[in-house]
Amino acid sequence: MNTLRLWSARAPDPLGLEAFNRGDHLGALANQAKAQAISQVLYPSDETPAGEELRLRQEYFFSSAALQDILRRHMEQHDGEVRGLNEHVAIQLNDTHPAIAIPEMMRLLVDVHGLGWDEAWTITQATFSYTNHTLLPEALEHWGVPLMERLLPRHMQIIYLINALNLDKLRAAGLITEAEEGVVSLIDEDAGRKVRMGWLSFIGAHKVNGVSALHTELMRQTVFATFNRIYPDRIVNKTNGITFRRWLMEANPGLTRLLAETVGGKVLDDPMALADFAAYADDAGVQERLGLIRHDHKVALARLIADRLHIRVDPSALFDTQIKRIHEYKRQLLNILETIALYDAMRAHPNRGWTPRVKIFAGKAAASYQRAKLIIKLINDVAQVVNSDPTLRGMLKVVFLPNYNVSLAEAIIPASDLSEQISTAGMEASGTGNMKLALNGALTIGTLDGANVEIKEQVGDDNIFIFGMTADQVEAKRREGVGARDLVAASPMLSQVLEQVGSGVFSPSEPGLYHDLVDSLLDHDHFLVLSDFEAYAAMQRQVAARWKDQKAWRRSSILNTAHMGWFSSDRTIREYAQEIWDVPVLKT
């Protein structure tokens, strides 16, 4: 059982009497509205000063509320004594958003509870650990020193002291050179003086973990390379996991019953018992039942699509799914560009024996992420053209399901045949959608990125479709220059697709809508959409060929489910408990 605590912000003085008496009745409520915004506004854009300030207020408010509650409960249970907190409490920083909790803990221990600095720092470090979820710069927050000093002056003092003492210690031990002091300092002096919250999280934690083997190794080699040399035992890996109770047993009861009948009831309690399902990979009866279970989910999803979007799709077609946050590095753009190429090929060669396919997209973009929203718009525009083209005879449909949430995911995942995990190699920390889809028997098409690497190791090379550049090749390509225009010139298929998008074929009422999008790919293809396009298109043709051999496809589907036991969140949490939190794990 987990206890969920929800915090609500209120103004200490909800009504400004002076303003009220002047007749400024709305202004009298300004403080109340400002306070309530802290807990009522979700993900405010930080592109404006007001939005940035609200984000910092929110991060401090929620972190402080949680810490004060933790300390209150600890002292109630231990005779009012705050010492020994780290022996009973573990706090995991989920990326850098709650990093302000480290100086806040120091403030509470030193200013409120009267501990000495050294004792307070020892408790703080032993209590906190830090999970890094991405190497993208926007996830490693930087807060401007002027903003911090204005809103949180005491915390800024504490951060300065943490920084000075840490640099003194490293300098005295000979662990850093003078040139490296600026590299490991908590204050970035080269970008308008900002506090590096990722650095603060690293320094204030006793363990720092990535969420897949590849991601953790990249952390050691790139963003935290200097820290890894100084603290070689601090970075560890904890590959993400998913809860089978939701994503298998609740979302797919038919498959759960099949597993229990073939493997036995132990599979309901022990995820590793899924491995026994591999023995049924060539069993024709199990394959047939698996096909019927999947078909029932596809019928249900087809009905949902018809109800919400008035688009009719064929449940017997290949359901090709990409459901995740909309971001350029996740490359929904690569998917829809290849879909356009497939559309062109189907029209040009109608008698080639195409595999019927339904391209399913879902996901949300950050409120201020205009490029991501434009990609959503492109997907919908392509869908409108493709779905209304009678020459395809229903062989290709494109669907973007709005308002993506967990309930919708529970409908999509058990109905999916192909799982799109096509992020630019080296940029996806782990992914968990890839695990949920593979657990339900979908085959993965993807790059060697995030947990795809470990999924490939578990399911075997023959049961996954891997394409594109590796993380090392991506970095090398960026260093030498992408040369996107040369790539396009050498690919008639890609050239035609970009010409169609850029000229307004899919946006006739706004012909120039996607012109800048195409130009940005040609001039600065940072996420290597064009570089991986041909490899991705070629692998999609292999997917289509495998789909025609339903026996082989279902065999691979069974093996995907059978080899996903290791990705249970039970294993992940057990590893956190044993190797980071120092919590005993009891066998039941």
Side-chain angles (χ1 to χ4, degrees):
M1 178 189 295
N2 288 323
T3 301
L4 177 64
R5 288 174 170 81
L6 301 177
W7 306 107
S8 177
R10 293 195 300 267
D13 185 8
L15 185 67
L17 286 178
E18 290 186 11
F20 185 85
N21 291 334
R22 290 196 309 267
D24 183 7
H25 302 134
L26 292 178
L29 298 171
N31 286 339
Q32 177 72 342
K34 189 174 183 180
Q36 288 178 339
I38 292 174
S39 54
Q40 288 185 344
V41 178
L42 181 65
Y43 297 140
S45 170
D46 56 5
E47 292 186 350
T48 65
E52 185 178 33
E53 178 174 325
L54 178 55
R55 285 290 291 268
L56 181 55
R57 286 180 181 274
Q58 288 179 323
E59 292 183 5
Y60 174 67
F61 175 83
F62 290 115
S63 297
S64 181
L67 289 184
Q68 291 186 55
D69 185 56
I70 287 169
L71 288 172
R72 176 189 60 79
R73 287 183 286 123
H74 173 77
M75 294 175 70
E76 284 179 356
Q77 296 167 11
H78 296 89
D79 300 322
E81 179 57 68
V82 74
R83 290 177 174 85
L85 177 72
N86 55 287
E87 297 174 7
H88 302 278
V89 170
I91 299 175
Q92 193 77 31
L93 297 177
N94 193 41
D95 245 333
T96 58
H97 309 300
I100 195 65
I102 291 172
E104 171 66 358
M105 178 69 88
M106 289 298 291
R107 184 190 72 83
L108 291 169
L109 294 178
V110 174
D111 295 358
V112 178
H113 296 285
L115 269 60
W117 178 273
D118 290 342
E119 184 179 16
W121 183 245
T122 297
I123 291 172
T124 296
Q125 258 194 329
T127 303
F128 280 98
S129 46
Y130 161 48
T131 298
N132 174 278
H133 283 281
T134 175
L135 305 179
L136 291 173
E138 60 262 32
L140 295 174
E141 291 177 315
H142 293 68
W143 289 110
V145 169
L147 176 63
M148 289 279 289
E149 288 181 329
R150 177 166 59 84
L151 284 185
L152 301 169
R154 176 55 176 151
H155 295 78
M156 204 57 234
Q157 289 180 336
I158 291 171
I159 290 169
Y160 278 134
L161 187 52
I162 291 172
N163 192 41
L165 293 174
N166 187 61
L167 291 176
D168 287 347
K169 180 180 178 181
L170 296 179
R171 195 183 304 112
L175 292 173
I176 57 171
T177 65
E178 185 176 345
E180 288 175 324
E181 289 185 21
V183 175
V184 299
S185 173
L186 300 185
I187 310 300
D188 185 351
E189 304 284 357
D190 298 326
R193 301 201 73 228
K194 294 185 176 181
V195 181
R196 294 162 162 159
M197 304 307 278
W199 277 212
L200 178 61
S201 301
F202 196 106
I203 294 299
H206 65 279
K207 288 293 182 183
V208 177
N209 71 279
V211 289
S212 74
L214 175 63
H215 169 235
T216 301
E217 189 55 35
L218 289 173
M219 282 173 55
R220 294 185 178 119
Q221 295 175 7
T222 58
V223 65
F224 292 129
T226 304
F227 284 111
N228 184 56
R229 177 181 61 76
I230 297 170
Y231 307 101
D233 299 325
R234 189 164 298 187
I235 298 178
V236 296
N237 179 57
K238 295 289 166 278
T239 298
N240 278 339
I242 57 172
T243 170
F244 287 19
R245 287 168 286 283
R246 160 160 259 158
W247 298 110
L248 176 62
M249 297 171 195
E250 182 178 338
N252 202 338
L255 177 57
T256 303
R257 285 192 296 272
L258 177 60
L259 289 167
E261 291 172 17
T262 52
V263 174
K266 60 184 178 180
V267 77
L268 302 178
D269 298 310
D270 180 9
M272 298 307 293
L274 282 173
D276 294 343
F277 194 46
Y280 297 88
D282 294 304
D283 187 309
V286 172
Q287 286 191 9
E288 183 178 0
R289 285 190 61 188
L290 185 72
L292 291 173
I293 292 166
R294 177 79 47 75
H295 184 75
D296 287 345
H297 283 288
K298 293 171 76 171
V299 169
L301 181 58
R303 190 178 301 118
L304 184 151
I305 291 169
D307 289 344
R308 296 190 183 184
L309 300 176
H310 308 292
I311 299 171
R312 297 196 175 278
V313 301
D314 181 2
S316 66
L318 169 64
F319 277 24
D320 178 348
T321 299
Q322 188 173 20
I323 47 173
K324 54 182 76 258
R325 179 166 56 94
I326 310 298
H327 198 290
E328 289 172 277
Y329 87 82
K330 294 178 182 287
R331 299 202 295 191
Q332 286 90 353
L333 183 56
L334 174 61
N335 189 346
I336 196 62
L337 292 180
E338 195 278 332
T339 301
I340 295 171
L342 177 61
Y343 170 59
D344 291 340
M346 283 181 163
R347 290 190 301 163
H349 308 283
N351 299 318
R352 188 169 283 180
W354 298 99
T355 294
R357 191 182 294 244
V358 180
K359 302 286 288 190
I360 300 169
F361 295 86
K364 293 178 180 177
S368 61
Y369 196 170
Q370 295 303 319
R371 177 56 56 83
K373 291 184 174 184
L374 189 64
I375 291 170
I376 294 175
K377 170 70 171 165
L378 176 61
I379 294 169
N380 280 280
D381 282 347
V382 171
Q384 187 170 2
V385 171
V386 169
N387 297 340
S388 61
D389 190 335
T391 65
L392 294 180
R393 294 164 293 169
M395 296 289 283
L396 177 65
K397 291 292 180 74
V398 180
V399 172
F400 188 98
L401 282 161
N403 194 29
Y404 181 58
N405 55 26
V406 171
S407 298
L408 184 56
E410 288 180 322
I412 296 172
I413 288 172
S416 298
D417 299 301
L418 186 68
S419 166
E420 298 267 357
Q421 308 297 331
I422 59 177
S423 53
T424 310
M427 301 198 74
E428 181 72 87
S430 172
T432 54
N434 48 4
M435 303 170 191
K436 297 164 190 171
L437 284 149
L439 174 65
N440 281 272
L443 276 58
T444 300
I445 180 170
T447 52
L448 284 175
D449 195 28
N452 288 356
V453 176
E454 289 151 290
I455 290 175
K456 174 178 175 289
E457 292 171 355
Q458 295 289 330
V459 306
D461 293 356
D462 294 337
N463 304 302
I464 191 170
F465 301 97
I466 297 296
F467 74 93
M469 288 178 284
T470 64
D472 289 341
Q473 290 169 336
V474 165
E475 285 305 307
K477 186 75 171 176
R478 286 173 176 162
R479 284 195 302 270
E480 71 185 30
V482 175
R485 292 184 182 274
D486 292 337
L487 284 170
V488 174
S491 171
M493 174 172 57
L494 181 55
S495 179
Q496 178 176 321
V497 168
L498 294 179
E499 171 62 25
Q500 289 171 289
V501 174
S503 64
V505 168
F506 299 101
S507 55
S509 62
E510 298 178 83
L513 180 60
Y514 301 113
H515 188 268
D516 289 346
L517 175 64
V518 171
D519 278 353
S520 69
L521 286 175
L522 294 172
D523 294 333
H524 184 63
D525 185 17
H526 180 71
F527 300 101
L528 301 175
V529 170
L530 304 183
S531 296
D532 269 347
F533 179 86
E534 288 285 350
Y536 176 58
M539 188 56 68
Q540 284 285 20
R541 302 294 75 77
Q542 291 190 36
V543 168
R546 176 79 67 88
W547 177 256
K548 291 180 178 179
D549 184 349
Q550 280 293 291
K551 181 179 179 181
W553 188 279
R554 290 174 182 171
R555 182 181 191 278
S556 291
S557 180
I558 290 171
L559 291 173
N560 266 263
T561 297
H563 294 302
M564 290 303 294
W566 187 78
F567 295 98
S568 167
S569 56
D570 295 352
R571 184 269 312 160
T572 306
I573 296 301
R574 184 168 58 248
E575 290 182 358
Y576 274 97
Q578 293 175 327
E579 300 171 30
I580 295 181
W581 303 331
D582 194 24
V583 174
V585 176
L586 305 179
K587 292 186 177 181
T588 57

